[in-house]
Amino acid sequence: QVNFSKVPMEMRLPVRCSIRRNFLSGIQVEFRQSPHQRSLRAQLYWLQVDNQLPGSMFPVVFHPVAPPKSIALDSEPKPFIDISVITRFNEYSKVLQFKYFMVLIQEMALKIDQGFLGALSELFTPSTDPEAERQRSKLIQQDVDALKTELMESSLTDLSMLSFFEHFHISPIKLHLSLSLASGGEASDKGEEMIAIQSLNLLLKSIGATLTDVDDLIFKLAFFEIKYQFYKRDQLMKRVVIHYSEQLLKQMYVLVLGLDVLGNPFGLIRGLSEGVEAFFYEPFQGAVQGPEEFAEGFVIGVRSLLGHTVGGAAGVVSRITGSVGKGLAAITMDKEFQQKRREEMGRQPKDFGDSLAKGGKGLLRGVVGGVTGIITKPVEGAKKEGAAGFFKGIGKGLVGVVARPTGGIVDMASSTFQGIQRVAESTEEVSNLRPPRFIHEDGIIRPYNRVEAEGYDLFEKLHIRKLEKESYRYHCALPRGRRANLIVTNRRVIYVKEVEILGHLITEWGYLFEDFTCCPSYEANVLKITFLDQRMFQRKDSTGYECVKTVQLQDETTARRICCAIQEAQATRKQQKLVKQASLQLKKP
């Protein structure tokens, strides 16, 4: 029995004593030195890389994989990377002796989509502007010159120095790989295929497979070890690279047999073997410790066997139907629909109920979109490309009326089987640690602001047709129980509400600053917006009715802040219009 409310906290039974929380360090480094020996121990407990691009296929690019529950319950959390180095040095010898060099790396997952690779390529691609590239090279050269002396003097960077390794060991590496050729957000509009992806596609085609999406492929790379050998450090690095390159090439069959279009048969076989292994191993391990542990091990073994059998079969069906749904979405030739589908299918359901809601939402979106597309697609095409766009829109609408509902049914089946797999295997999905940073219109990177980041993330998730050059400014959550937010952009105020069953956002109303008849005001915690409603006409020459919209906020402070945010956005908007008009006047002859 534990009392957490008392200060300090205490345990009442079986022993009465004070207790305290103990947190593991993110990074821990120990360094010791004696006249003839030096030791270093470095531990990194968690390393996670998030993909903050809007509409990305995989929100988390890299993360450690949690150990099985049977192991996690009986042992303390282990660091993701643990490096131990013990060196000996002798004043009469230039050979550095490594008595012990050990690197332990836990199981990890790598999830990459084409959009992420494209963004990385852009980041490191030289600028096309020669003057900017020359300036950049000059700055880099200054940094290199400033550090060159220290680097040359450091013995750690001398790769040609001979070293003696008594025991050098890198642990086995287990990598879960997921790869998608789809790209979300801005990257999907560019249509550029990465060189690395093309090379991999060519390699797979040469052995008779067509590259589609792959999910949760497992590569097991054997350990690397040397004992009592002399090596130069560049030679040792080359040997390590060659060792793991050979290991990867030997396991190319995993990539071919793990294609989603085939249902990932290799993953199914692996899951069944792990389930059978746990069914026999867990009870045996428990029997060594005692009868209670045997019963617990038997339960864990049966759960693992059933979970991997049912979950593996459901996973195969889910992957195949997902690939079919992706093909049907491509037939519609509607990039906006494909992007929304990618975002929705990429979102991992929390439980089985969430997966059913996700499937129902996909089916509803497909049916409604297919029926309304017959009218909306020709109109949209005519606005963009005139008569040619109108006939293209008719074609898209006719194809969509069949492909969208069919794709919705297939996606619903895929989501349902995905939910069955998650329930059966009891897997936990790793999520983003924080929403993406909000960068203001001036492009200056400021200290991270959680509130701004949450508002920007909310604005990006809105499935509405955003206005030209519309950007987020401010937001606030409405009182509890309403599941709604008020968002201020540089052009309007939007009232956003979350649909509880389906879990997606809808816009109840939004009013442009141009329609405001006076500045917004507030009384206590109530915000008042006065505007002209263009939809309500008194007579033909009338501009519309003057309406007042009231919104109840959490408190007076929130009302004052949102009121100030609207006024600032209005002032900025007016200033931008004046600047634009002045520039047009100057351009006139």
Side-chain angles (χ1 to χ4, degrees):
Q1 293 181 8
V2 179
N3 183 7
F4 291 111
S5 58
K6 188 177 178 181
V7 181
M9 297 181 295
E10 69 169 8
M11 180 170 66
R12 294 169 179 168
L13 288 175
V15 180
R16 195 178 191 90
C17 63
S18 298
I19 58 173
R20 64 182 177 86
R21 297 188 186 276
N22 185 27
F23 295 93
L24 289 169
S25 305
I27 299 174
Q28 189 168 332
V29 179
E30 296 177 13
F31 180 77
R32 295 175 184 175
Q33 185 169 340
S34 67
H36 301 288
Q37 190 166 286
R38 183 185 295 134
S39 68
L40 173 69
R41 176 90 182 269
Q43 294 174 313
L44 177 67
Y45 276 87
W46 189 264
L47 177 64
Q48 181 172 324
V49 180
D50 290 347
N51 184 358
Q52 302 289 35
L53 294 174
S56 58
M57 291 297 299
F58 302 114
V60 180
V61 176
F62 181 88
H63 66 87
V65 175
K69 290 183 178 179
S70 58
I71 297 174
L73 289 172
D74 299 331
S75 61
E76 63 180 12
K78 291 180 173 58
F80 169 56
I81 298 175
D82 192 346
I83 301 173
S84 299
V85 182
I86 300 175
T87 58
R88 289 176 178 169
F89 43 90
N90 191 329
E91 57 183 327
Y92 301 108
S93 173
K94 291 184 178 180
V95 177
L96 183 62
Q97 298 180 35
F98 285 88
K99 182 181 178 182
Y100 185 80
F101 195 114
M102 181 76 71
V103 180
L104 298 175
I105 304 173
Q106 298 295 332
E107 200 172 342
M108 54 190 162
L110 180 65
K111 303 176 182 180
I112 301 175
D113 59 34
Q114 190 175 344
F116 181 74
L117 289 176
L120 282 182
S121 175
E122 268 187 41
L123 183 65
F124 295 105
T125 301
S127 173
T128 53
D129 183 7
E131 184 60 34
E133 182 61 25
R134 194 160 42 247
Q135 188 69 20
R136 179 170 169 270
S137 301
K138 185 179 178 182
L139 291 170
I140 292 173
Q141 190 59 40
Q142 288 175 0
D143 291 339
V144 171
D145 292 340
L147 294 170
K148 190 177 288 184
T149 308
E150 295 177 21
L151 291 174
M152 291 300 290
E153 289 177 354
S154 174
S155 61
L156 291 174
T157 57
D158 187 2
L159 299 179
S160 62
M161 182 177 170
L162 192 66
S163 301
F164 178 69
F165 296 91
E166 288 188 23
H167 189 191
F168 182 94
H169 179 94
I170 299 177
S171 69
I173 295 174
K174 190 175 181 181
L175 175 67
H176 296 247
L177 177 66
S178 299
L179 181 66
S180 174
L181 294 191
S183 55
E186 298 170 359
S188 61
D189 299 331
K190 296 178 183 176
E192 295 178 357
E193 207 172 60
M194 298 303 301
I195 294 172
I197 295 289
Q198 287 176 339
S199 304
L200 190 59
N201 200 4
L202 181 64
L203 179 62
L204 282 170
K205 280 181 179 177
S206 65
I207 54 177
T210 303
L211 182 59
T212 61
D213 293 357
V214 291
D215 185 29
D216 199 29
L217 300 182
I218 293 183
F219 290 91
K220 294 181 179 180
L221 311 181
F223 69 90
F224 176 81
E225 185 177 59
I226 58 172
K227 289 185 177 181
Y228 302 104
Q229 292 188 34
F230 287 93
Y231 271 100
K232 292 180 181 179
R233 293 186 200 165
D234 54 348
Q235 293 175 342
L236 182 60
M237 287 166 65
K238 284 180 184 177
R239 187 170 169 188
V240 170
V241 170
I242 290 169
H243 169 79
Y244 287 112
S245 300
E246 289 175 352
Q247 291 283 317
L248 279 171
L249 288 172
K250 286 178 183 176
Q251 296 195 35
M252 279 302 296
Y253 67 92
V254 175
L255 189 59
V256 177
L257 293 177
L259 296 172
D260 276 4
V261 73
L262 303 177
N264 191 0
F266 183 80
L268 174 62
I269 296 167
R270 188 197 70 235
L272 289 173
S273 65
E274 287 179 359
V276 172
E277 180 186 350
F279 179 71
F280 290 102
Y281 175 72
E282 293 292 348
F284 175 76
Q285 190 182 29
V288 175
Q289 299 176 13
E292 291 182 5
E293 286 78 5
F294 170 77
E296 185 183 352
F298 182 74
V299 171
I300 293 172
V302 171
R303 188 186 299 164
S304 177
L305 178 61
L306 291 175
H308 282 94
T309 305
V310 177
V316 168
V317 179
S318 174
R319 287 184 177 92
I320 293 174
T321 52
S323 298
V324 173
K326 181 184 173 185
L328 288 169
I331 291 172
T332 63
M333 298 175 288
D334 186 348
K335 290 184 178 179
E336 188 179 347
F337 170 72
Q338 292 172 21
Q339 174 62 22
K340 286 181 181 178
R341 180 195 171 275
R342 276 196 296 266
E343 289 179 12
E344 195 61 34
M345 295 301 289
R347 183 179 65 85
Q348 296 297 329
K350 298 174 184 175
D351 48 33
F352 184 67
D354 193 21
S355 66
L356 287 177
K358 174 183 166 183
K361 179 185 173 183
L363 176 61
L364 186 65
R365 184 178 62 241
V367 172
V368 173
V371 174
T372 57
I374 298 175
I375 300 169
T376 57
K377 292 301 170 186
V379 173
E380 287 176 9
K383 284 181 180 178
K384 288 182 181 178
E385 302 177 29
F390 176 78
F391 289 107
K392 282 182 185 177
I394 291 175
K396 286 182 181 180
L398 291 174
V399 171
V401 77
V402 178
R404 285 196 181 192
T406 309
I409 295 169
V410 173
D411 286 344
M412 185 176 181
S414 178
S415 298
T416 305
F417 281 108
Q418 189 182 21
I420 294 170
Q421 181 188 15
R422 288 183 64 82
V423 171
E425 296 184 352
S426 302
T427 54
E428 293 182 7
E429 195 68 25
V430 178
S431 58
N432 289 64
L433 293 177
R434 68 183 196 185
R437 180 191 301 272
F438 172 61
I439 299 177
H440 293 253
E441 293 174 352
D442 56 13
I444 297 172
I445 298 178
R446 294 172 173 83
Y448 186 80
N449 186 317
R450 181 86 188 193
V451 177
E452 282 186 350
E454 288 175 351
Y456 174 68
D457 189 44
L458 192 69
F459 176 70
E460 286 293 327
K461 285 179 180 176
L462 286 178
H463 292 304
I464 60 171
R465 193 173 295 281
K466 297 183 177 68
L467 301 176
E468 185 184 357
K469 295 181 180 178
E470 188 174 18
S471 58
Y472 164 83
R473 282 301 182 90
Y474 189 79
H475 91 289
C476 68
L478 300 187
R480 289 184 179 179
R482 296 171 69 177
R483 290 178 173 270
N485 288 269
L486 204 63
I487 299 178
V488 180
T489 73
N490 62 334
R491 299 194 64 180
R492 57 177 166 167
V493 180
I494 310 171
Y495 185 93
V496 181
K497 195 173 183 180
E498 182 182 349
V499 179
E500 193 169 354
I501 299 173
L502 299 177
H504 70 280
L505 301 169
I506 59 169
T507 306
E508 284 210 347
W509 51 260
Y511 301 114
L512 292 166
F513 295 151
E514 286 83 352
D515 296 334
F516 286 12
T517 56
C518 62
C519 290
S521 60
Y522 66 94
E523 290 181 11
N525 66 331
V526 178
L527 176 70
K528 291 184 179 180
I529 301 174
T530 309
F531 61 96
L532 286 174
D533 194 340
Q534 305 290 347
R535 295 168 298 179
M536 302 170 66
F537 293 102
Q538 267 183 318
R539 54 184 183 276
K540 289 184 179 180
D541 60 341
S542 176
T543 55
Y545 282 121
E546 188 175 78
C547 301
V548 178
K549 177 69 73 175
T550 59
V551 183
Q552 188 175 359
L553 303 172
Q554 291 181 353
D555 49 42
E556 187 175 350
T557 306
T558 306
R560 184 176 66 252
R561 285 176 180 170
I562 197 103
C563 196
C564 292
I566 295 172
Q567 290 172 2
E568 286 176 9
Q570 282 181 302
T572 308
R573 178 78 178 156
K574 286 178 182 177
Q575 189 176 1
Q576 288 174 347
K577 279 189 173 182
L578 291 171
V579 171
K580 190 175 181 180
Q581 287 174 1
S583 62
L584 289 173
Q585 289 291 334
L586 289 171
K587 287 179 182 179
K588 285 183 180 179

